[in-house]
Amino acid sequence: MNPNAGFEAMLFDCDGVLVDSEVITNRVLCTMLNEAGWVLSSEDCLQLFIGKMVRSQKDLIEANTGKPLTDAWMEEFYARRNVALEQDVKAIEGAVEAIQALHAQFKGQIACASGADRKKIVMQLRIAGLLPYFEGRIFSGHEMPRTKPFPDVYLAAAAALRADPQRCLVIEDSVTGTQAGVAAGATVWAYHPPAHAVCSQADLAAAGASEFFEHMADLPQRVARASAVAA
């Protein structure tokens, strides 16, 4: 029996799925937006920007700060964000063990497909001890014609793995990312930890997530069960 009869490959988002980075990045972004004149809470900032490329929200930022979103501002954001991540980012609990198991189970047919810039993705995976499992199979929305919620980054990852997108399992935690996975034709499961979920289960379901799980450590067994049923 093929242990992966249900799926040919697994495609993972990065922030909030593999690494616990959302709050760190949001803290820097919220601080800088307040400094620029847009007074908003960290909670509102997270809801507005979760799963989205900051530069893609240019019109929203300029409307609320009354200032142009310049390359210099973005470079400062990236620099301050990277310092904070270097200091504080860590793997999602259970992610390292789960990825080790799934990398073996899928014979290396796993990839990281994130809306973030490549430098951030690689840095975070390195710090979290996950880079060896994804090296050579990292895809950035910044390098695609369109980023999430469009499917480009997931389609690129599937193509590189020579996998049918409809037989790929995507792991996401945001509405934007879930929409991207569904648009690619993949099955999307949502990582939804009750203590610090960034999106409601109802919103993720409306975006197309077909299953939910609360602990990353449970993922290999859940995938194995789903594959056994499909076989």
Side-chain angles (χ1 to χ4, degrees), residues 4-13 17 106 109 111 113 148 151 154-155 157-158 163-175 177-191 204-205 207-213 219 222-223 225-227 230:
N4 301 316
F7 303 111
E8 294 180 358
M10 288 191 69
L11 312 177
F12 293 84
D13 179 38
V17 169
F106 280 81
Q109 286 289 93
K148 300 176 184 179
Y154 281 122
L155 291 174
D164 180 350
Q166 295 189 7
R167 294 192 63 195
C168 289
L169 175 60
V170 165
I171 306 300
E172 272 286 356
D173 72 325
S174 73
V175 168
T178 298
Q179 291 169 333
V182 170
T187 299
V188 180
W189 290 2
Y191 172 56
L204 290 164
S210 59
E211 287 200 29
F212 300 85
F213 63 101
L219 185 57
R222 291 178 70 103
V223 173
R225 285 200 301 267
S227 297

Side-chain angles (χ1 to χ4, degrees), residues 32-44:
M32 288 189 62
L33 290 173
N34 274 274
E35 289 172 356
W38 183 2
V39 179
L40 78 169
S41 68
S42 58
E43 292 80 9
D44 288 342

Side-chain angles (χ1 to χ4, degrees), residues 140-153:
S140 165
H142 283 232
E143 299 167 4
M144 302 294 148
R146 304 171 300 178
T147 191
K148 300 176 184 179
F150 295 99
D152 302 35
V153 71

Side-chain angles (χ1 to χ4, degrees), residues 4 10 12 96-111 130-135 137 220:
N4 301 316
M10 288 191 69
F12 293 84
V96 175
E97 295 79 8
I99 294 303
Q100 288 173 339
L102 290 163
H103 184 271
Q105 185 176 330
F106 280 81
K107 296 180 170 51
Q109 286 289 93
I110 67 172
L130 289 165
L131 187 57
Y133 304 102
F134 292 103
E135 203 150 20
R137 298 178 308 281

